[in-house]
Amino acid sequence: MSRNDKKSTVHLFAGGVAGAVAATATAPLEVVKTRLQSSVVAFQPVHAPVLATSAGPVTTPATSALARPGNTLACLRRIVATEGTRSLFKGLGPTLVGIAPSRAIYFACYNHFKSYYNAVFEPNTAPVHLSAAVSAGVTACTITNPIWVIRTHLQLDPTTKESFRYSAVKCVKDVWRREGLRGFYRGLTASYAGTSETAIYFVLYERFKENLRKQGLLENSQSTTSTDVIQYMIASACAKLTATVIAYPHEVARTRLRQNDGANRRYHSLIQTLVRVWREEGRHGLYGGLGTHLIRVIPNSAILFATFETIVRFSAAWSD
C-alpha cells in the first residue's frame, strides 16, 4: 500500500469513528432540533391522545405552536413524558448507518481534494480549504441523502411508548410507495447549499489551527498532548459557531423539504421553501431550533474533530 493510500485509509477510518461517537453523544438534541425546524406536530401534550400516524400529520401554524415547549430542556422532558426515553434516540439507527460512511467519505474526499487543489492554487491557503470542503461536501451528501431522509421521518414521528413505533424499514417502504426514488432525494438542494457552512467552517478551522501553531500553542510533532486536544476542540467550536449562524436557514429548509406533510405538499424547492417560511413565519421561522442546534453542534463538532485528529496523529506516530 502506497503512502497516499495508507493516509486515505486512516482518514476514512478516523472520519467514520469520529462521526459515530459525536452523533451518539448528541442524538437527543438532534431529535429536538429537527422537530423545532419542522412545521408538522412535533411535541404532543403530556396527557393528550396522539393523533399522528406514520403518514405524518399536517397541522396549522397555531396547532403547531401550541405543541412546542418553550426551550430545549422542556422539549426533552416532553418527549420523555409522552414517548419514552428511547424516543430521544429516534433516528439514531439510520444516523449510525449513515454517519460513519458519510464522515468517512467526507474526510477521505477532503484529504483527496485538498491534495488536488494544492496543485491548482497556492498550497494550504483559503481557496484550497474552501474548494476541498465544498467538493467533499457535495460528494458525501449526494451519496448518503436517502439515509438522512429516513432519519428525518423517524425523528418527526411522534408515536408514544404505548403505541406502534415507526421502523426504518416501514419508513423506506412508505417513501418508496408515495414518491418512488425521488422521495429519497428530497432536501438534496438544501444539502448542497449547506456546503457553504462546511466551507466556511473548514476555512476558519484551518486558520485557527495555523494561528495556534504560530503562537506555539500547538505542537508540529506527530504526538498529541492533552493540551493539543483542548486547542483542537476550541478551534473547532469557534469555527462551527460562526459558520452555523451564517448558514442556518438551509437547515430549516432541508427539514421541511424532507418532512411528510401529507398529500398537499407545501414545500417544493430550496428557494420556494425559504421564501414561504419567511413570509409565513418571519425570521423566527428561518431560525427555528437554532438554540438547540448550537447546543448540539458545538460539542458535536468538538468531539468529532478531537477524535479525528487524535486517531490520525496516533496512527502516524504508531506507523513511524
Side-chain angles (χ1 to χ4, degrees):
M1 182 182 293
S2 67
R3 184 177 181 85
N4 285 338
D5 289 341
K6 185 176 181 180
K7 187 176 182 180
S8 294
T9 300
V10 170
H11 279 77
L12 197 70
F13 174 75
V17 172
V21 171
T24 302
T26 59
L29 293 173
E30 174 68 22
V31 173
V32 172
K33 179 210 72 171
T34 301
R35 294 189 179 197
L36 289 173
Q37 290 173 342
S38 174
S39 64
V40 300
V41 171
F43 299 99
Q44 297 296 330
V46 175
H47 298 296
V50 177
L51 301 178
T53 67
S54 61
V58 180
T59 62
T60 62
T63 302
S64 181
L66 288 173
R68 297 175 187 274
N71 55 58
T72 301
L73 184 58
C75 293
L76 292 170
R77 288 173 176 170
R78 182 68 60 84
I79 292 174
V80 172
T82 61
E83 303 173 42
T85 304
R86 282 180 55 192
S87 294
L88 293 176
F89 294 89
K90 281 184 175 179
L92 182 58
T95 297
L96 294 180
V97 169
I99 198 68
S102 175
R103 292 299 185 183
I105 292 168
Y106 187 92
F107 279 110
C109 288
Y110 179 75
N111 183 61
H112 170 77
F113 284 118
K114 186 176 178 180
S115 298
Y116 171 79
Y117 288 119
N118 271 334
V120 176
F121 303 107
E122 182 180 349
N124 298 316
T125 58
V128 171
H129 301 145
L130 181 67
S131 300
V134 171
S135 299
V138 168
T139 302
C141 67
T142 300
I143 295 173
T144 60
N145 195 76
I147 298 173
W148 310 133
V149 170
I150 300 306
R151 181 186 68 174
T152 299
H153 280 257
L154 292 174
Q155 289 174 336
L156 294 178
D157 177 51
T159 51
T160 67
K161 53 191 173 184
E162 291 85 11
S163 62
F164 174 74
R165 290 184 179 275
Y166 198 29
S167 69
V169 173
K170 189 176 190 309
C171 183
V172 170
K173 292 179 179 178
D174 285 347
V175 172
W176 178 262
R177 174 177 51 80
R178 287 195 308 268
E179 303 181 71
L181 184 62
R182 180 183 178 184
F184 293 101
Y185 284 90
R186 287 202 170 273
L188 184 58
T189 54
S191 293
Y192 287 157
T195 60
S196 62
E197 176 183 337
T198 305
I200 295 169
Y201 170 75
F202 260 102
V203 170
L204 293 176
Y205 179 63
E206 297 283 357
R207 180 62 58 86
F208 289 158
K209 285 202 304 181
E210 184 61 30
N211 288 340
L212 289 172
R213 288 194 182 98
K214 288 180 179 179
Q215 295 173 24
L217 298 177
L218 276 182
E219 299 293 336
N220 289 317
S221 63
Q222 297 294 343
S223 60
T224 302
T225 66
S226 58
T227 301
D228 287 338
V229 172
I230 293 174
Q231 297 293 347
Y232 281 129
M233 293 178 73
I234 293 174
S236 177
C238 292
K240 193 63 178 179
L241 174 62
T242 305
T244 297
V245 172
I246 293 173
Y248 186 76
H250 92 272
E251 290 256 358
V252 174
R254 185 172 61 192
T255 294
R256 299 204 181 192
L257 285 167
R258 288 174 177 171
Q259 73 185 21
N260 175 26
D261 48 7
N264 299 319
R265 183 171 288 278
R266 304 175 68 234
Y267 306 106
H268 307 283
S269 67
L270 173 62
I271 300 302
Q272 181 265 346
T273 300
L274 292 173
V275 171
R276 182 160 194 164
V277 172
W278 172 260
R279 287 177 177 175
E280 295 180 352
E281 304 171 48
R283 176 171 52 86
H284 293 292
L286 289 177
Y287 284 88
L290 176 60
T292 302
H293 184 61
L294 290 177
I295 294 172
R296 182 198 70 86
V297 79
I298 293 176
N300 179 283
S301 179
I303 294 169
L304 173 69
F305 277 87
T307 304
F308 176 78
E309 297 279 4
T310 300
I311 292 175
V312 170
R313 283 179 169 245
F314 176 80
S315 176
W318 181 76
S319 62
D320 287 345

